[in-house]
Structure formats: structure tokens, C-alpha cells
Amino acid sequence: AQRVTQPEKLLSVFKGAPVELKCNYSYSGSPELFWYVQYSRQRLQLLLRHISRESIKGFTADLNKGETSFHLKKPFAQEEDSAMYYCALSGIGNEKLTFGTGTRLTIIP
Amino acid sequence: NAGVTQTPKFQVLKTGQSMTLQCAQDMNHNSMYWYRQDPGMGLRLIYYSASEGTTDKGEVPNGYNVSRLNKREFSLRLESAAPSQTSVYFCASSGSGDRGKKLFFGSGTQLSVL
């Protein structure tokens, strides 16, 4: 079974402060981890994936297999970062993308 | 390109009524998915279709049926709606190299069952 846990339903951060959205996973195979984001009145979309090892909109996430985590980080929050963030898990040859319960991030001006 | 198009955007049903949610994609994707989004539950996979002519159950398939009509279209049917099916439904698709990875989502259907 594959499972994704996002412990924070809501997270409020002041503009300019660092952001960290937590994600832990459970998967018996070789995992592929993703962060999806849903901005207000927009469609859910892929933000980043661990295999790309890239920074998107200032966000980064590192896969830590030892701690089975894939936390999303940004050093300086911006107001436009306010959105719903979902961590998601798949695997090699796996058709199913499993989502966590999501974290609603609010950036306080 | 429209991407993934879902209809209707909103629907209110009475318990026991049936309806079909339509989904079409114009990206020539092989894989298509139906998810439901509930507060505190995240997105849960109802059914998916890896290719035209195939469908498989996801995490919460009970009470739903699907049809992969052709490569473009993947419909979700509620035969006898129940209040527990009140939710926001999302259709998604992904290309061959990104099956179950990079999904493109529709704008959602907000369904209320009274």
C-alpha cells in the first residue's frame, strides 16, 4: 500500500519568512514524489517532482529516503504562494498517483 | 488547447438519481483518471484508464462506473446517487511517459446530493 501524510491542514506564514510544508510517505517500492499546487480559482497543477531536482517559483523539495520525507521549502514566502498544496506519491511502473490530504498555506502580508 | 474539459461544472441531485460526468482531453494522452476531493481527505482516486479500452478501480470505486469511450473521453457515472457522494470531482490525464506522474487536471465538477 502507498500512503502520503501531510500533518498540517493549515499553515500561516508571514511574508518574507521561510516556509516548510511537511510530507511523509509510506511505500514498499522505489518512490517518486511530487508536489501539486492549487491556486485560488485555478486548476490543480504539478509544482515539482523529486527526480527533476529543480527549483520552481523558489520552492525546493528533497527526497529523504531514510526519513521517508519530501518536505517542500521556500526561504522567503511571497503573497502569491498562498494556495492549497498536495504531496503525491507514485512509483516505477505504477499507474496510481496517491495524494496526501493537503495543506492550505496562507501568507500573511 | 483546452487541455482537460469537464462538464458540468455544478450539479445538484436528489438521492437515488443518476448522472454522468463527462471528461475530454485534447492532448492525445493515453491515461485518464477520476478523483474526488473532500475536505480533510485530499484527492482520492476513483477509477483510472491506462489506455483506450481499459479501466481499473482506484481507492474508492464503490457507487461509480466509468466508460473510456475513446482515447479522448472518459466518463464517470453515478447510477444511484447518495449524499456520501457529495464532493468535487476532478478528471485528469497524463501522457505515456508520465503515467501516474504528471497529471493534467480539469477544472472540477461540484456535485451536491440532497
Side-chain angles (χ1 to χ4, degrees), chain A residues 9 32 34 36 38 43-46 49 84 86 89-102, chain B residues 2 4-5 31 33 35 37 40-43 45 48 50 57-58 90 98-103 105-107:
Chain A
K9 288 187 178 180
E32 293 193 52
F34 309 81
Y36 278 76
Q38 188 173 26
R43 301 182 183 202
L44 188 63
Q45 58 187 290
L46 178 65
R49 56 200 300 182
M84 190 74 173
Y86 291 97
L89 164 71
S90 184
I92 296 173
N94 189 342
E95 289 285 346
K96 300 180 184 179
L97 187 63
T98 298
F99 287 85
T101 52
Chain B
V4 179
T5 303
S31 301
Y33 311 82
Y35 284 88
Q37 182 186 45
M41 303 291 288
L43 281 88
L45 182 63
Y48 67 100
K57 294 179 180 179
F90 288 98
D98 280 319
R99 284 188 301 184
K101 321 287 182 200
K102 182 176 181 179
L103 270 57
F105 283 84
S107 56

Side-chain angles (χ1 to χ4, degrees), chain B residues 47-82:
Chain B
Y47 272 94
Y48 67 100
S49 170
S51 61
E52 185 179 353
T54 68
T55 60
D56 284 286
K57 294 179 180 179
E59 184 184 353
V60 288
N62 291 346
Y64 305 95
N65 285 303
V66 291
S67 296
R68 183 73 184 267
L69 304 170
N70 47 56
K71 190 171 185 178
R72 290 187 64 248
E73 299 172 287
F74 188 39
S75 62
L76 178 72
R77 183 161 178 83
L78 286 70
E79 290 291 350
S80 179

Side-chain angles (χ1 to χ4, degrees), chain A residues 38-77:
Chain A
Q38 188 173 26
Y39 300 104
S40 179
R41 289 185 290 278
Q42 292 189 28
R43 301 182 183 202
L44 188 63
Q45 58 187 290
L46 178 65
L47 179 63
L48 54 80
R49 56 200 300 182
H50 90 270
I51 60 172
S52 299
R53 302 186 66 81
E54 57 191 346
S55 173
I56 304 294
K57 298 185 178 183
F59 284 98
T60 59
D62 291 319
L63 178 60
N64 186 324
K65 291 189 177 181
E67 295 182 359
T68 59
S69 69
F70 188 59
H71 303 327
L72 183 68
K73 299 178 182 179
K74 184 170 182 176
F76 307 103

Side-chain angles (χ1 to χ4, degrees), chain A residues 2-22:
Chain A
Q2 53 193 73
R3 179 174 293 176
V4 178
T5 303
Q6 293 181 250
E8 305 140 328
K9 288 187 178 180
L10 303 170
L11 182 64
S12 295
V13 173
F14 283 101
K15 178 182 175 181
V19 176
E20 183 178 44
L21 286 77
K22 291 185 168 51

Side-chain angles (χ1 to χ4, degrees), chain A residues 37-45, chain B residues 2-11 21-25 27 32-37 43 87-93 103-111:
Chain A
V37 61
Q38 188 173 26
Y39 300 104
S40 179
R41 289 185 290 278
Q42 292 189 28
R43 301 182 183 202
L44 188 63
Q45 58 187 290
Chain B
V4 179
T5 303
Q6 289 182 237
T7 56
K9 291 191 185 302
F10 302 94
Q11 184 71 50
L21 281 65
Q22 306 287 353
C23 175
Q25 53 90 11
M27 295 174 283
M32 297 186 74
Y33 311 82
W34 277 105
Y35 284 88
R36 58 178 289 173
Q37 182 186 45
L43 281 88
S87 187
V88 181
Y89 291 85
F90 288 98
C91 178
S93 69
L103 270 57
F104 291 83
F105 283 84
S107 56
T109 296
Q110 194 164 322
L111 175 67

